[in-house]
Amino acid sequence: MLLTKTDLPIIFAQEQGGKTGIYTAAALPPANNPTEGQEGPLTRAGEFTPKKTNTPNPKGPVGEAIVTGAAKSTDGKHVVIRTFSDAYEYTVGDDGDIVNAILNGKPNVTPLPNEPQGEAISYTADG
């Protein structure tokens, strides 16, 4: 999950065929909502399909396709999506549209080979 520049969620959901659906919310649910399931619908914005990199990882080829984490830089100019095998970093445009950066941008791919618990990623405070 990531947050937009207005702190709305961007959710990554594993789908069949090695794809990950990208879902957004138009608004946050009301605070202290006593009725579960009344949060409002998510909209499918597109999909993230990792490359076949052959980077060694504990899950083999399947690990290349499983999104395990994501992060946004403090200044909001970059986002990174992590799989068991690689990190995909995107530059976010001046409009701050993270989903557009992921769907239409070209990522810098960094191999992260053979990490037994390769499930999280983050930026430092200074980027």
Side-chain angles (χ1 to χ4, degrees), residues 7-70:
D7 292 332
L8 293 174
I10 300 169
I11 298 170
F12 297 92
Q14 195 66 39
E15 297 176 348
Q16 292 182 352
K19 298 176 183 174
T20 299
I22 301 172
Y23 294 84
T24 58
L28 291 174
N32 301 315
N33 185 358
T35 309
E36 262 188 66
Q38 300 297 314
E39 292 82 10
L42 295 174
T43 302
R44 190 175 194 281
E47 63 189 41
F48 170 73
T49 305
K51 300 177 182 197
K52 295 189 184 306
T53 61
N54 297 317
T55 302
N57 70 86
K59 303 280 186 193
V62 172
E64 293 178 0
I66 298 173
V67 172
T68 61

Short mmCIF file of all heavy atoms in Angstrom, two decimals, residues 7-70:
data_model
loop_
_atom_site.label_atom_id
_atom_site.label_comp_id
_atom_site.label_asym_id
_atom_site.label_seq_id
_atom_site.Cartn_x
_atom_site.Cartn_y
_atom_site.Cartn_z
N ASP A 7 -3.05 11.69 0.85
CA ASP A 7 -3.15 10.63 1.86
C ASP A 7 -4.31 9.66 1.66
O ASP A 7 -4.83 9.10 2.62
CB ASP A 7 -3.18 11.21 3.28
CG ASP A 7 -1.86 11.85 3.65
OD1 ASP A 7 -0.82 11.41 3.12
OD2 ASP A 7 -1.86 12.79 4.46
N LEU A 8 -4.69 9.43 0.42
CA LEU A 8 -5.66 8.39 0.12
C LEU A 8 -4.89 7.12 -0.24
O LEU A 8 -3.80 7.18 -0.80
CB LEU A 8 -6.57 8.80 -1.04
CG LEU A 8 -7.50 9.97 -0.73
CD1 LEU A 8 -8.24 10.39 -1.99
CD2 LEU A 8 -8.49 9.60 0.36
N PRO A 9 -5.44 5.95 0.07
CA PRO A 9 -4.70 4.71 -0.16
C PRO A 9 -4.62 4.30 -1.62
O PRO A 9 -5.56 4.47 -2.39
CB PRO A 9 -5.47 3.68 0.65
CG PRO A 9 -6.85 4.22 0.74
CD PRO A 9 -6.71 5.72 0.75
N ILE A 10 -3.46 3.76 -1.98
CA ILE A 10 -3.25 3.03 -3.23
C ILE A 10 -2.92 1.62 -2.78
O ILE A 10 -1.92 1.40 -2.09
CB ILE A 10 -2.08 3.63 -4.04
CG1 ILE A 10 -2.35 5.10 -4.38
CG2 ILE A 10 -1.84 2.79 -5.30
CD1 ILE A 10 -1.13 5.81 -4.95
N ILE A 11 -3.75 0.67 -3.16
CA ILE A 11 -3.61 -0.70 -2.66
C ILE A 11 -3.19 -1.62 -3.81
O ILE A 11 -3.75 -1.56 -4.90
CB ILE A 11 -4.94 -1.16 -2.04
CG1 ILE A 11 -5.27 -0.26 -0.84
CG2 ILE A 11 -4.88 -2.63 -1.63
CD1 ILE A 11 -6.63 -0.43 -0.27
N PHE A 12 -2.21 -2.47 -3.51
CA PHE A 12 -1.74 -3.46 -4.47
C PHE A 12 -2.32 -4.80 -4.06
O PHE A 12 -2.16 -5.24 -2.92
CB PHE A 12 -0.21 -3.53 -4.44
CG PHE A 12 0.44 -2.25 -4.86
CD1 PHE A 12 0.79 -1.29 -3.91
CD2 PHE A 12 0.71 -1.99 -6.19
CE1 PHE A 12 1.39 -0.09 -4.29
CE2 PHE A 12 1.30 -0.80 -6.58
CZ PHE A 12 1.64 0.15 -5.63
N ALA A 13 -3.03 -5.47 -5.00
CA ALA A 13 -3.66 -6.76 -4.71
C ALA A 13 -3.19 -7.79 -5.72
O ALA A 13 -3.32 -7.59 -6.93
CB ALA A 13 -5.18 -6.62 -4.76
N GLN A 14 -2.66 -8.90 -5.22
CA GLN A 14 -2.16 -9.97 -6.08
C GLN A 14 -3.30 -10.57 -6.88
O GLN A 14 -4.36 -10.85 -6.33
CB GLN A 14 -1.49 -11.04 -5.22
CG GLN A 14 -0.64 -12.00 -5.99
CD GLN A 14 0.58 -11.33 -6.61
OE1 GLN A 14 1.19 -10.48 -6.00
NE2 GLN A 14 0.90 -11.70 -7.81
N GLU A 15 -3.08 -10.75 -8.19
CA GLU A 15 -4.07 -11.34 -9.07
C GLU A 15 -3.45 -12.50 -9.83
O GLU A 15 -2.24 -12.70 -9.79
CB GLU A 15 -4.60 -10.29 -10.05
CG GLU A 15 -5.31 -9.14 -9.36
CD GLU A 15 -5.76 -8.04 -10.30
OE1 GLU A 15 -5.32 -8.02 -11.47
OE2 GLU A 15 -6.53 -7.19 -9.86
N GLN A 16 -4.26 -13.24 -10.53
CA GLN A 16 -3.77 -14.38 -11.30
C GLN A 16 -2.87 -13.91 -12.44
O GLN A 16 -2.97 -12.78 -12.91
CB GLN A 16 -4.94 -15.16 -11.86
CG GLN A 16 -5.74 -15.87 -10.81
CD GLN A 16 -6.88 -16.68 -11.42
OE1 GLN A 16 -7.16 -16.61 -12.60
NE2 GLN A 16 -7.52 -17.48 -10.58
N GLY A 17 -1.99 -14.79 -12.87
CA GLY A 17 -1.15 -14.51 -14.02
C GLY A 17 0.05 -13.64 -13.73
O GLY A 17 0.61 -13.04 -14.63
N GLY A 18 0.45 -13.55 -12.46
CA GLY A 18 1.63 -12.77 -12.12
C GLY A 18 1.41 -11.27 -12.16
O GLY A 18 2.37 -10.51 -12.22
N LYS A 19 0.17 -10.85 -12.11
CA LYS A 19 -0.14 -9.43 -12.14
C LYS A 19 -0.57 -8.97 -10.76
O LYS A 19 -1.02 -9.76 -9.95
CB LYS A 19 -1.25 -9.15 -13.15
CG LYS A 19 -0.86 -9.50 -14.56
CD LYS A 19 -2.01 -9.31 -15.50
CE LYS A 19 -1.61 -9.76 -16.90
NZ LYS A 19 -2.73 -9.73 -17.82
N THR A 20 -0.43 -7.69 -10.55
CA THR A 20 -0.87 -7.08 -9.31
C THR A 20 -1.80 -5.93 -9.66
O THR A 20 -1.39 -5.00 -10.37
CB THR A 20 0.32 -6.57 -8.49
OG1 THR A 20 1.17 -7.68 -8.18
CG2 THR A 20 -0.13 -5.91 -7.21
N GLY A 21 -3.05 -6.01 -9.21
CA GLY A 21 -4.00 -4.93 -9.46
C GLY A 21 -3.67 -3.73 -8.59
O GLY A 21 -3.22 -3.87 -7.44
N ILE A 22 -3.87 -2.55 -9.14
CA ILE A 22 -3.69 -1.29 -8.41
C ILE A 22 -5.07 -0.70 -8.20
O ILE A 22 -5.80 -0.45 -9.16
CB ILE A 22 -2.79 -0.32 -9.19
CG1 ILE A 22 -1.42 -0.95 -9.45
CG2 ILE A 22 -2.65 1.00 -8.43
CD1 ILE A 22 -0.54 -0.13 -10.38
N TYR A 23 -5.43 -0.48 -6.93
CA TYR A 23 -6.75 0.02 -6.57
C TYR A 23 -6.62 1.33 -5.79
O TYR A 23 -5.70 1.49 -4.99
CB TYR A 23 -7.50 -1.02 -5.73
CG TYR A 23 -7.82 -2.26 -6.51
CD1 TYR A 23 -6.88 -3.28 -6.65
CD2 TYR A 23 -9.05 -2.40 -7.14
CE1 TYR A 23 -7.17 -4.42 -7.39
CE2 TYR A 23 -9.35 -3.54 -7.89
CZ TYR A 23 -8.39 -4.55 -8.01
OH TYR A 23 -8.67 -5.66 -8.74
N THR A 24 -7.55 2.25 -6.05
CA THR A 24 -7.54 3.54 -5.36
C THR A 24 -8.90 3.77 -4.70
O THR A 24 -9.90 3.16 -5.08
CB THR A 24 -7.25 4.68 -6.34
OG1 THR A 24 -8.23 4.68 -7.38
CG2 THR A 24 -5.86 4.54 -6.96
N ALA A 25 -8.90 4.67 -3.75
CA ALA A 25 -10.13 5.07 -3.06
C ALA A 25 -10.37 6.56 -3.32
O ALA A 25 -9.42 7.34 -3.34
CB ALA A 25 -10.02 4.82 -1.57
N ALA A 26 -11.62 6.93 -3.53
CA ALA A 26 -11.95 8.32 -3.78
C ALA A 26 -11.96 9.15 -2.50
O ALA A 26 -11.79 10.37 -2.53
CB ALA A 26 -13.32 8.42 -4.46
N ALA A 27 -12.16 8.48 -1.36
CA ALA A 27 -12.22 9.19 -0.08
C ALA A 27 -11.92 8.20 1.03
O ALA A 27 -12.06 6.99 0.86
CB ALA A 27 -13.61 9.80 0.12
N LEU A 28 -11.54 8.73 2.17
CA LEU A 28 -11.35 7.90 3.35
C LEU A 28 -12.70 7.61 3.99
O LEU A 28 -13.63 8.42 3.88
CB LEU A 28 -10.45 8.62 4.36
CG LEU A 28 -9.00 8.80 3.96
CD1 LEU A 28 -8.28 9.64 5.00
CD2 LEU A 28 -8.31 7.46 3.80
N PRO A 29 -12.82 6.48 4.67
CA PRO A 29 -14.08 6.23 5.39
C PRO A 29 -14.22 7.21 6.54
O PRO A 29 -13.24 7.77 7.02
CB PRO A 29 -13.91 4.80 5.91
CG PRO A 29 -12.45 4.57 5.92
CD PRO A 29 -11.85 5.42 4.85
N PRO A 30 -15.45 7.44 6.98
CA PRO A 30 -15.64 8.35 8.12
C PRO A 30 -14.95 7.81 9.37
O PRO A 30 -14.85 6.60 9.56
CB PRO A 30 -17.15 8.38 8.32
CG PRO A 30 -17.76 7.57 7.24
CD PRO A 30 -16.68 6.89 6.49
N ALA A 31 -14.46 8.71 10.18
CA ALA A 31 -13.80 8.32 11.43
C ALA A 31 -14.79 7.61 12.33
O ALA A 31 -15.98 7.95 12.37
CB ALA A 31 -13.26 9.56 12.14
N ASN A 32 -14.31 6.60 13.05
CA ASN A 32 -15.13 5.85 14.00
C ASN A 32 -16.40 5.30 13.38
O ASN A 32 -17.47 5.32 13.98
CB ASN A 32 -15.47 6.72 15.22
CG ASN A 32 -14.22 7.20 15.91
OD1 ASN A 32 -13.29 6.44 16.13
ND2 ASN A 32 -14.18 8.49 16.21
N ASN A 33 -16.28 4.80 12.15
CA ASN A 33 -17.42 4.24 11.44
C ASN A 33 -17.84 2.93 12.13
O ASN A 33 -17.11 1.96 12.09
CB ASN A 33 -17.04 3.99 9.98
CG ASN A 33 -18.21 3.51 9.15
OD1 ASN A 33 -19.30 3.32 9.65
ND2 ASN A 33 -17.97 3.32 7.87
N PRO A 34 -19.03 2.89 12.75
CA PRO A 34 -19.43 1.69 13.47
C PRO A 34 -19.92 0.57 12.55
O PRO A 34 -20.09 -0.55 12.98
CB PRO A 34 -20.57 2.18 14.36
CG PRO A 34 -21.16 3.32 13.60
CD PRO A 34 -19.99 3.97 12.88
N THR A 35 -20.15 0.86 11.27
CA THR A 35 -20.68 -0.13 10.35
C THR A 35 -19.58 -0.61 9.42
O THR A 35 -19.21 0.09 8.49
CB THR A 35 -21.84 0.47 9.52
OG1 THR A 35 -22.77 1.07 10.40
CG2 THR A 35 -22.52 -0.60 8.70
N GLU A 36 -19.07 -1.81 9.69
CA GLU A 36 -18.03 -2.37 8.82
C GLU A 36 -18.57 -2.57 7.42
O GLU A 36 -19.74 -2.87 7.24
CB GLU A 36 -17.54 -3.71 9.38
CG GLU A 36 -16.27 -3.57 10.17
CD GLU A 36 -15.72 -4.93 10.54
OE1 GLU A 36 -15.30 -5.69 9.63
OE2 GLU A 36 -15.72 -5.21 11.73
N GLY A 37 -17.71 -2.38 6.43
CA GLY A 37 -18.11 -2.59 5.05
C GLY A 37 -18.76 -1.39 4.41
O GLY A 37 -19.19 -1.45 3.28
N GLN A 38 -18.83 -0.28 5.10
CA GLN A 38 -19.43 0.93 4.55
C GLN A 38 -18.37 1.97 4.18
O GLN A 38 -18.64 3.15 4.13
CB GLN A 38 -20.41 1.54 5.57
CG GLN A 38 -21.54 0.63 5.96
CD GLN A 38 -22.43 0.30 4.77
OE1 GLN A 38 -22.79 1.16 4.00
NE2 GLN A 38 -22.76 -0.97 4.60
N GLU A 39 -17.17 1.49 3.89
CA GLU A 39 -16.06 2.39 3.62
C GLU A 39 -16.11 2.98 2.23
O GLU A 39 -15.45 3.95 1.93
CB GLU A 39 -14.71 1.67 3.81
CG GLU A 39 -14.43 1.29 5.24
CD GLU A 39 -15.11 -0.01 5.66
OE1 GLU A 39 -15.65 -0.74 4.82
OE2 GLU A 39 -15.11 -0.29 6.87
N GLY A 40 -16.86 2.41 1.32
CA GLY A 40 -16.90 2.88 -0.05
C GLY A 40 -16.06 1.99 -0.95
O GLY A 40 -15.16 1.29 -0.50
N PRO A 41 -16.36 2.02 -2.23
CA PRO A 41 -15.69 1.11 -3.14
C PRO A 41 -14.28 1.54 -3.49
O PRO A 41 -13.94 2.73 -3.43
CB PRO A 41 -16.59 1.17 -4.38
CG PRO A 41 -17.18 2.54 -4.34
CD PRO A 41 -17.36 2.85 -2.88
N LEU A 42 -13.48 0.56 -3.87
CA LEU A 42 -12.18 0.82 -4.45
C LEU A 42 -12.33 0.76 -5.96
O LEU A 42 -13.16 0.02 -6.47
CB LEU A 42 -11.16 -0.21 -3.98
CG LEU A 42 -10.83 -0.22 -2.50
CD1 LEU A 42 -9.91 -1.40 -2.19
CD2 LEU A 42 -10.18 1.09 -2.08
N THR A 43 -11.54 1.52 -6.65
CA THR A 43 -11.56 1.54 -8.11
C THR A 43 -10.27 0.93 -8.63
O THR A 43 -9.18 1.30 -8.18
CB THR A 43 -11.68 2.99 -8.63
OG1 THR A 43 -12.87 3.56 -8.10
CG2 THR A 43 -11.71 3.03 -10.14
N ARG A 44 -10.40 0.00 -9.56
CA ARG A 44 -9.22 -0.60 -10.17
C ARG A 44 -8.64 0.41 -11.15
O ARG A 44 -9.27 0.77 -12.14
CB ARG A 44 -9.56 -1.91 -10.87
CG ARG A 44 -8.32 -2.69 -11.31
CD ARG A 44 -8.73 -4.04 -11.90
NE ARG A 44 -7.63 -4.96 -12.03
CZ ARG A 44 -6.71 -4.94 -12.99
NH1 ARG A 44 -6.78 -4.00 -13.93
NH2 ARG A 44 -5.75 -5.83 -13.03
N ALA A 45 -7.42 0.87 -10.88
CA ALA A 45 -6.79 1.89 -11.70
C ALA A 45 -5.91 1.29 -12.79
O ALA A 45 -5.58 1.95 -13.77
CB ALA A 45 -5.94 2.81 -10.82
N GLY A 46 -5.50 0.04 -12.61
CA GLY A 46 -4.63 -0.60 -13.59
C GLY A 46 -3.91 -1.76 -12.94
O GLY A 46 -4.35 -2.29 -11.93
N GLU A 47 -2.76 -2.12 -13.52
CA GLU A 47 -2.01 -3.23 -12.96
C GLU A 47 -0.51 -3.00 -13.06
O GLU A 47 -0.03 -2.30 -13.94
CB GLU A 47 -2.38 -4.54 -13.63
CG GLU A 47 -2.05 -4.59 -15.10
CD GLU A 47 -2.63 -5.82 -15.78
OE1 GLU A 47 -3.76 -6.21 -15.47
OE2 GLU A 47 -1.91 -6.38 -16.63
N PHE A 48 0.19 -3.60 -12.12
CA PHE A 48 1.64 -3.62 -12.10
C PHE A 48 2.06 -5.03 -12.48
O PHE A 48 1.64 -5.99 -11.84
CB PHE A 48 2.15 -3.26 -10.69
CG PHE A 48 3.61 -3.49 -10.51
CD1 PHE A 48 4.55 -2.66 -11.08
CD2 PHE A 48 4.06 -4.57 -9.76
CE1 PHE A 48 5.91 -2.87 -10.90
CE2 PHE A 48 5.42 -4.80 -9.57
CZ PHE A 48 6.34 -3.95 -10.15
N THR A 49 2.83 -5.15 -13.55
CA THR A 49 3.32 -6.45 -13.99
C THR A 49 4.84 -6.42 -13.95
O THR A 49 5.47 -5.79 -14.79
CB THR A 49 2.83 -6.79 -15.40
OG1 THR A 49 1.40 -6.70 -15.42
CG2 THR A 49 3.25 -8.19 -15.80
N PRO A 50 5.44 -7.08 -12.96
CA PRO A 50 6.89 -7.09 -12.87
C PRO A 50 7.53 -7.78 -14.06
O PRO A 50 6.92 -8.61 -14.73
CB PRO A 50 7.17 -7.88 -11.59
CG PRO A 50 5.89 -7.88 -10.84
CD PRO A 50 4.81 -7.79 -11.86
N LYS A 51 8.77 -7.42 -14.31
CA LYS A 51 9.54 -8.04 -15.40
C LYS A 51 10.06 -9.41 -14.96
O LYS A 51 10.19 -9.68 -13.77
CB LYS A 51 10.73 -7.15 -15.75
CG LYS A 51 10.32 -5.78 -16.22
CD LYS A 51 11.52 -4.90 -16.48
CE LYS A 51 11.03 -3.53 -16.90
NZ LYS A 51 12.02 -2.75 -17.54
N LYS A 52 10.36 -10.23 -15.93
CA LYS A 52 11.03 -11.50 -15.65
C LYS A 52 12.53 -11.21 -15.61
O LYS A 52 13.16 -11.08 -16.65
CB LYS A 52 10.69 -12.53 -16.71
CG LYS A 52 9.21 -12.90 -16.69
CD LYS A 52 8.92 -14.07 -17.59
CE LYS A 52 7.47 -14.39 -17.65
NZ LYS A 52 6.77 -14.61 -16.44
N THR A 53 13.06 -11.06 -14.41
CA THR A 53 14.45 -10.64 -14.25
C THR A 53 15.41 -11.79 -13.98
O THR A 53 16.61 -11.63 -14.07
CB THR A 53 14.57 -9.65 -13.08
OG1 THR A 53 14.13 -10.30 -11.88
CG2 THR A 53 13.74 -8.39 -13.33
N ASN A 54 14.86 -12.94 -13.58
CA ASN A 54 15.68 -14.10 -13.19
C ASN A 54 16.58 -13.80 -11.99
O ASN A 54 17.60 -14.46 -11.80
CB ASN A 54 16.50 -14.62 -14.37
CG ASN A 54 15.61 -15.13 -15.47
OD1 ASN A 54 14.63 -15.81 -15.22
ND2 ASN A 54 15.94 -14.78 -16.71
N THR A 55 16.22 -12.82 -11.18
CA THR A 55 16.97 -12.54 -9.96
C THR A 55 16.69 -13.65 -8.95
O THR A 55 15.53 -13.91 -8.63
CB THR A 55 16.56 -11.18 -9.37
OG1 THR A 55 16.78 -10.16 -10.36
CG2 THR A 55 17.37 -10.85 -8.12
N PRO A 56 17.73 -14.32 -8.45
CA PRO A 56 17.51 -15.41 -7.48
C PRO A 56 16.79 -14.91 -6.22
O PRO A 56 17.11 -13.86 -5.69
CB PRO A 56 18.93 -15.87 -7.13
CG PRO A 56 19.80 -15.34 -8.20
CD PRO A 56 19.14 -14.10 -8.72
N ASN A 57 15.78 -15.69 -5.80
CA ASN A 57 15.03 -15.35 -4.59
C ASN A 57 14.43 -16.63 -4.03
O ASN A 57 14.34 -17.63 -4.73
CB ASN A 57 13.96 -14.30 -4.92
CG ASN A 57 12.84 -14.85 -5.76
OD1 ASN A 57 11.88 -15.40 -5.23
ND2 ASN A 57 12.95 -14.72 -7.08
N PRO A 58 14.01 -16.62 -2.76
CA PRO A 58 13.53 -17.85 -2.11
C PRO A 58 12.30 -18.48 -2.76
O PRO A 58 12.04 -19.66 -2.58
CB PRO A 58 13.20 -17.41 -0.69
CG PRO A 58 13.85 -16.11 -0.49
CD PRO A 58 14.04 -15.50 -1.84
N LYS A 59 11.53 -17.72 -3.52
CA LYS A 59 10.29 -18.22 -4.12
C LYS A 59 10.46 -18.61 -5.59
O LYS A 59 9.50 -19.02 -6.23
CB LYS A 59 9.19 -17.17 -4.02
CG LYS A 59 8.90 -16.71 -2.62
CD LYS A 59 8.05 -17.68 -1.89
CE LYS A 59 7.66 -17.10 -0.53
NZ LYS A 59 7.09 -18.08 0.33
N GLY A 60 11.66 -18.46 -6.14
CA GLY A 60 11.89 -18.80 -7.54
C GLY A 60 11.17 -17.83 -8.47
O GLY A 60 10.95 -16.67 -8.12
N PRO A 61 10.75 -18.29 -9.65
CA PRO A 61 10.09 -17.40 -10.61
C PRO A 61 8.83 -16.73 -10.06
O PRO A 61 8.51 -15.61 -10.42
CB PRO A 61 9.74 -18.34 -11.78
CG PRO A 61 10.73 -19.45 -11.68
CD PRO A 61 10.99 -19.63 -10.20
N VAL A 62 8.13 -17.42 -9.17
CA VAL A 62 6.92 -16.83 -8.58
C VAL A 62 7.28 -15.58 -7.76
O VAL A 62 6.53 -14.61 -7.73
CB VAL A 62 6.20 -17.87 -7.69
CG1 VAL A 62 5.07 -17.26 -6.91
CG2 VAL A 62 5.70 -19.03 -8.54
N GLY A 63 8.44 -15.58 -7.12
CA GLY A 63 8.86 -14.45 -6.30
C GLY A 63 9.09 -13.18 -7.07
O GLY A 63 9.03 -12.08 -6.51
N GLU A 64 9.31 -13.30 -8.38
CA GLU A 64 9.47 -12.11 -9.21
C GLU A 64 8.15 -11.36 -9.35
O GLU A 64 8.14 -10.17 -9.65
CB GLU A 64 9.95 -12.49 -10.61
CG GLU A 64 11.34 -13.05 -10.65
CD GLU A 64 11.76 -13.45 -12.06
OE1 GLU A 64 10.97 -13.30 -13.02
OE2 GLU A 64 12.90 -13.92 -12.20
N ALA A 65 7.03 -12.05 -9.19
CA ALA A 65 5.72 -11.47 -9.45
C ALA A 65 4.96 -11.06 -8.20
O ALA A 65 3.92 -10.42 -8.30
CB ALA A 65 4.88 -12.47 -10.24
N ILE A 66 5.45 -11.39 -7.03
CA ILE A 66 4.71 -11.10 -5.80
C ILE A 66 5.19 -9.77 -5.21
O ILE A 66 6.35 -9.63 -4.82
CB ILE A 66 4.89 -12.22 -4.76
CG1 ILE A 66 4.34 -13.53 -5.32
CG2 ILE A 66 4.21 -11.85 -3.45
CD1 ILE A 66 4.61 -14.73 -4.44
N VAL A 67 4.29 -8.80 -5.15
CA VAL A 67 4.59 -7.51 -4.53
C VAL A 67 4.58 -7.71 -3.02
O VAL A 67 3.60 -8.18 -2.46
CB VAL A 67 3.59 -6.43 -4.96
CG1 VAL A 67 3.80 -5.14 -4.16
CG2 VAL A 67 3.72 -6.15 -6.45
N THR A 68 5.68 -7.34 -2.37
CA THR A 68 5.80 -7.55 -0.93
C THR A 68 5.87 -6.24 -0.15
O THR A 68 5.76 -6.25 1.07
CB THR A 68 7.05 -8.38 -0.61
OG1 THR A 68 8.20 -7.67 -1.06
CG2 THR A 68 6.98 -9.74 -1.26
N GLY A 69 6.07 -5.13 -0.83
CA GLY A 69 6.16 -3.85 -0.14
C GLY A 69 6.21 -2.70 -1.12
O GLY A 69 6.44 -2.89 -2.31
N ALA A 70 5.99 -1.50 -0.60
CA ALA A 70 6.08 -0.29 -1.40
C ALA A 70 6.35 0.88 -0.48
O ALA A 70 6.03 0.82 0.72
CB ALA A 70 4.79 -0.07 -2.18
#
